[in-house]
Amino acid sequence: MYNILFNQDLVDIAQHVLGTEEIRLYPNYTCRPKVPGATEKHTVLWHQDAGYTQSKSWHALNDYTDEQLRSALMCVMNVWIPLVDATVQNGCMQFIPGSHTTGVQKHLEKKEYLELDPDVMAKCLDKAVDIEAKRGDVVLFGQYLYHCGLPNVSDTIRWTFDFRYQDAVASTLRHEPGHMARSALHPEKVVRDGQHWAQLELGGKNPK
């Protein structure tokens, strides 16, 4: 996992996109199975990741300032990697092109996920694009993009890996500060290798 999460080519892109050498691996990275069948737990509704970031019910910290929230929303690059070919049949993502320019929209609380207000989606759903990708492809997008995951109607599990890079100056809005992937200001805090990373807690501190 270290070789993927701290891949220097990806960190180079994050530095360019985020405009900073202070790059953190955000403390939210997941290997996700999407099993066949449209269960609530495996049907990812239309949403913006910013909807989760601004929702205090989804974060351990709920006393952050408006400026901390604005910074956290603007300074994140999402990385999504299919571990098998992602197709319409096995539940690839869909994007709404241009939706990243709209700002944070209203989301509704559902049992398993948040969902963009149907009134918002009704105006743009016809623009949805299937994001089919080959195993090992890298899909990059931001916090404001409208996206969802189609149901898996195949007979195999679709596996994906997702994680995020963030400007390390911004708050994670979590108790965990994450781990440094690159830093000009504090190079001593950068994770050196897989062995070093394995010795760190999720919060970025050495275990006692």
Side-chain angles (χ1 to χ4, degrees), residues 7-208:
N7 181 282
Q8 291 304 294
D9 290 336
L10 290 177
V11 176
D12 284 344
I13 296 171
Q15 177 176 328
H16 176 74
V17 170
L18 301 178
T20 178
E21 290 185 84
E22 307 305 304
I23 305 295
R24 162 196 294 132
L25 175 65
Y26 190 79
N28 178 16
Y29 35 90
T30 310
C31 185
R32 301 178 192 270
K34 175 170 281 193
V35 301
T39 64
E40 284 186 295
K41 186 169 289 189
H42 294 97
T43 301
V44 180
L45 306 171
W46 282 105
H47 69 283
Q48 299 167 293
D49 283 1
Y52 288 95
T53 305
Q54 75 166 1
S55 174
K56 294 187 177 183
S57 64
W58 285 80
H59 287 278
L61 300 182
N62 56 22
D63 58 350
Y64 49 79
T65 66
D66 289 343
E67 177 57 28
Q68 286 177 313
L69 174 60
R70 185 199 66 80
S71 179
L73 290 174
M74 293 294 293
C75 302
V76 177
M77 184 183 82
N78 294 3
V79 184
W80 187 87
I81 301 175
L83 303 181
V84 298
D85 291 354
T87 66
V88 170
Q89 288 71 34
N90 69 8
C92 70
M93 289 192 295
Q94 287 187 318
F95 288 172
I96 301 293
S99 59
H100 65 287
T101 65
T102 65
V104 187
Q105 300 296 312
K106 179 181 177 182
H107 287 70
L108 308 178
E109 292 269 359
K110 299 295 184 178
K111 181 178 180 180
E112 297 288 346
Y113 297 102
L114 295 179
E115 181 179 23
L116 269 164
D117 188 329
D119 290 340
V120 172
M121 289 308 304
K123 301 174 184 177
C124 60
L125 195 55
D126 61 331
K127 299 181 177 67
V129 175
D130 299 325
I131 307 300
E132 293 193 304
K134 294 293 186 182
R135 180 182 66 179
D137 281 350
V138 177
V139 180
L140 306 176
F141 58 100
Q143 289 270 290
Y144 293 106
L145 185 73
Y146 301 3
H147 61 289
C148 75
L150 292 172
N152 184 352
V153 296
S154 74
D155 58 2
T156 60
I157 299 174
R158 191 217 69 186
W159 288 92
T160 58
F161 191 40
D162 63 85
F163 52 100
R164 292 145 189 82
Y165 295 114
Q166 183 187 36
D167 181 345
V169 175
S171 171
T172 63
L173 307 183
R174 296 167 178 256
H175 292 305
E176 305 86 4
H179 296 128
M180 293 301 293
R182 177 171 294 170
S183 176
L185 296 177
H186 301 286
E188 74 282 359
K189 295 183 179 181
V190 174
V191 177
R192 298 186 299 273
D193 52 38
Q195 183 175 4
H196 180 208
W197 189 47
Q199 295 171 350
L200 299 175
E201 297 177 347
L202 182 61
K205 299 178 181 179
N206 288 313
K208 297 178 181 179

